[in-house]
Amino acid sequence: MTQPSTPSFKVVQVCSVAPLQGPTLSTTPTSLPLTFFDLLWLRFPPVERLFFYSFPHSSSSFFDSVLPALKHSLSLTLQHFLPFAGNITWPHDSSIPIINYFPGDAVSFTVAESNANFTHLCSHLCEAEKRQPLIPHLNTSHEQASVLALQVTVFPNSGFCIGITTHHAAFDGKSSTLFMKSWAYACSNNLGESSSLSLPQHLTPFFDRSVIKDPEGISQAYVDAWMNHGGSNNRSLKVWESINATPSDAVKGLFELTPSHIEKLKQHANSKMKTKVKLSTFSVTCAYVLACLVKAEQPKTNRIVFIFSVDCRSRLDPPIPATYFGNCVGGQMVVAETKDLVENDGFITTLEGINEALIRVKDGVLNGAKDLVSNMQKATTDRIFSTAGSPWFEVYSTDFGWGRPKKVDMASIDRTGAFSLSESRNNDGGIEIGLVLCKREMEAFSTLFVQGLESF
């Protein structure tokens, strides 16, 4: 009997794309200090996203038409994002790391070809390892780290995938999405041989770091935490090694909560909760997913810690522009006893904890921020769950000129153990949830997720 052949994957080209020389270069900053929002994520794994697009044409057609357009529009887009063609360094004469761009710096750009099953990769369930070749990698050492890497993989007569990897200390999810949408805008507008790009206001990045005030010394607290992590005066830019390893039989699953599901969750919660509050789609989604996850996984730890991010741009005093580029998210922690989630109604228990955290945000989005890194380091003996992405990013509207993505996959959750959130690919107001589990846990989660919704 003939054995099934292993899908082939080959790297066609490894190159660099530099910002195209043009008038925008003189007005874009080339150096950015890291704020405390950035420093929070200094040693965390990079963020990896995969955008899958349908392109039912030959490889030659892709290389002749699509690839040149992607490269040229990228070089134009980088005119507006100069520091992110550079690197993070931590000079000995600087108290904080800095992002620097020097003329000649460029973004790593890999071109590959694969005959893997494109439809399977775009499905709601596939083996996590099959996505790994599609992910670009940052060049990182103890002394220096690139902040952006890109890869384009073509699947002949099926489609192509754009992979983006960003250093978490340089981009938050909103900034990463802004960059991708700016690139897509440049590409879809068929700028040809143009040497400059004018971005609309909602896509123009705002870089002024002076708007981030730090009267409480949060930056110094984060610097101290990282410099004392793993030794004294530790200026390493390497990833924090205690991040989760991906199970060998890991499966990536996508699940959806439709608007009717979300309404049912809110109605059920209002009938059970002691205190009546206005429930958000975010809170009921996270609470339901977390309740199913804990029951599927059955953690051996005594405590569950749930960490979620809150966009601070509109919540700072005074608020800062929505297009502020960098990190501007605060972390909130919810702690619960594992047995309360496994034995009781974990959905309600978790939801009450999330609502309490959201109330704390209203009292001051930066309350407790100074101790966040040290608290996360102390929680390593607990089972930590977290979120990644947001439905507000509208990643499925990222159109390079060949239509909306068939799938947007947050590949970095393979290692972080987070579950991702985005708007539904169906554009119907629902929420798409992505998570990576071993096969047994994925089967258990799927059953709990579906049966729970049917029981309301």
Side-chain angles (χ1 to χ4, degrees):
M1 182 176 177
T2 304
Q3 294 294 319
S5 60
T6 302
S8 69
F9 174 88
K10 66 178 181 180
V11 173
V12 177
Q13 183 183 51
V14 178
C15 61
S16 298
V17 176
L20 191 65
Q21 296 299 311
T24 313
L25 291 183
S26 62
T27 60
T28 305
T30 59
S31 179
L32 294 173
L34 298 190
T35 71
F36 64 84
F37 285 116
D38 303 316
L39 291 167
L40 172 64
W41 306 104
L42 182 64
R43 303 277 306 277
F44 277 72
V47 180
E48 303 159 344
R49 274 195 181 87
L50 301 172
F51 292 75
F52 293 88
Y53 295 91
S54 178
F55 188 76
H57 307 287
S58 67
S59 292
S60 60
S61 176
F62 176 84
F63 291 129
D64 290 342
S65 62
V66 178
L67 188 59
L70 288 173
K71 285 185 176 181
H72 181 65
S73 57
L74 174 60
S75 66
L76 290 174
T77 306
L78 288 171
Q79 293 177 342
H80 296 266
F81 298 86
L82 274 188
F84 303 95
N87 298 280
I88 297 177
T89 61
W90 196 340
H92 283 284
D93 60 354
S94 174
S95 61
I96 58 173
I98 298 172
I99 305 174
N100 273 323
Y101 165 82
F102 297 99
D105 285 344
V107 172
S108 172
F109 191 95
T110 301
V111 181
E113 186 173 5
S114 173
N115 69 354
N117 189 321
F118 182 76
T119 301
H120 179 60
L121 288 168
C122 292
S123 68
H124 281 74
L125 196 68
C126 72
E127 300 80 1
E129 65 178 3
K130 291 188 175 180
R131 297 138 58 246
Q132 291 304 308
L134 311 178
I135 303 170
H137 299 286
L138 299 177
N139 292 320
T140 305
S141 68
H142 290 295
E143 294 77 26
Q144 180 173 286
S146 56
V147 295
L148 174 63
L150 297 163
Q151 178 174 320
V152 178
T153 305
V154 60
F155 300 81
N157 302 308
S158 297
F160 64 94
C161 172
I162 300 177
I164 176 172
T165 298
T166 55
H167 197 295
H168 212 326
F171 297 73
D172 62 11
K174 191 168 187 177
S175 293
S176 174
T177 306
L178 175 67
F179 173 80
M180 285 295 289
K181 289 187 177 181
S182 298
W183 182 16
Y185 172 86
C187 190
S188 62
N189 275 274
N190 298 315
L191 297 174
E193 299 302 316
S194 173
S195 61
S196 64
L197 167 68
S198 177
L199 289 173
Q201 186 174 356
H202 72 281
L203 293 177
T204 301
F206 179 85
F207 290 114
D208 187 356
R209 294 300 198 251
S210 69
V211 299
I212 305 297
K213 310 300 182 183
D214 184 16
E216 302 297 323
I218 302 173
S219 287
Q220 191 58 52
Y222 290 176
V223 166
D224 291 344
W226 288 126
M227 289 186 73
N228 293 320
H229 181 72
S232 59
N233 197 31
N234 182 7
R235 289 173 175 250
S236 174
L237 298 175
K238 283 283 192 179
V239 167
W240 187 8
E241 293 180 357
S242 62
I243 300 298
N244 301 333
T246 307
S248 59
D249 63 341
V251 180
K252 172 65 188 284
L254 287 179
F255 298 83
E256 186 174 354
L257 288 175
T258 65
S260 62
H261 290 150
I262 293 166
E263 188 57 35
K264 284 181 180 180
L265 289 173
K266 290 179 179 179
Q267 290 175 358
H268 173 75
N270 280 320
S271 70
K272 296 287 185 179
M273 292 177 68
K274 298 172 186 175
T275 305
K276 303 300 180 187
V277 295
K278 185 176 173 139
L279 299 171
S280 68
T281 296
F282 172 83
S283 63
V284 296
T285 297
C286 289
Y288 185 66
V289 172
L290 192 59
C292 294
L293 270 173
V294 172
K295 288 188 177 180
E297 187 178 301
Q298 298 283 319
K300 304 301 181 187
T301 58
N302 293 325
R303 298 197 317 169
I304 298 297
V305 176
F306 175 54
I307 302 174
F308 64 92
S309 297
V310 178
D311 185 7
C312 297
R313 290 168 175 81
S314 63
R315 295 180 170 95
L316 294 176
D317 186 18
I320 66 174
T323 56
Y324 173 83
F325 203 91
N327 284 281
C328 195
V329 292
Q332 291 293 323
M333 295 179 66
V334 178
V335 181
E337 297 295 316
T338 304
K339 61 180 176 61
D340 290 341
L341 272 66
V342 173
E343 299 172 3
N344 304 317
D345 191 336
F347 170 57
I348 299 299
T349 301
T350 306
L351 185 56
E352 289 175 339
I354 294 172
N355 284 336
E356 289 174 7
L358 291 174
I359 291 171
R360 292 197 299 268
V361 169
K362 292 180 181 177
D363 293 338
V365 73
L366 297 180
N367 287 347
K370 195 170 183 178
D371 301 318
L372 188 57
V373 170
S374 57
N375 286 341
M376 286 193 293
Q377 290 172 341
K378 292 173 186 174
T380 53
T381 57
D382 301 316
R383 177 63 176 99
I384 300 176
F385 294 91
S386 60
T387 60
S390 168
W392 298 110
F393 297 163
E394 297 183 346
V395 291
Y396 280 100
S397 67
T398 311
D399 183 351
F400 283 81
W402 295 277
R404 288 164 54 88
K406 287 181 64 67
K407 179 182 181 181
V408 180
D409 186 353
M410 201 157 191
S412 45
I413 67 173
D414 293 18
R415 288 172 307 173
T416 63
F419 58 87
S420 65
L421 301 174
S422 74
E423 81 278 19
S424 168
R425 69 174 80 179
N426 299 321
N427 202 26
D428 61 0
I431 302 294
E432 191 170 278
I433 303 113
L435 66 160
V436 177
L437 299 170
C438 68
K439 187 176 180 181
R440 176 187 59 80
E441 290 172 354
M442 185 63 78
E443 290 172 350
F445 176 88
S446 180
T447 299
L448 290 163
F449 187 88
V450 173
Q451 289 182 348
L453 293 173
E454 290 174 347
S455 68
F456 295 140

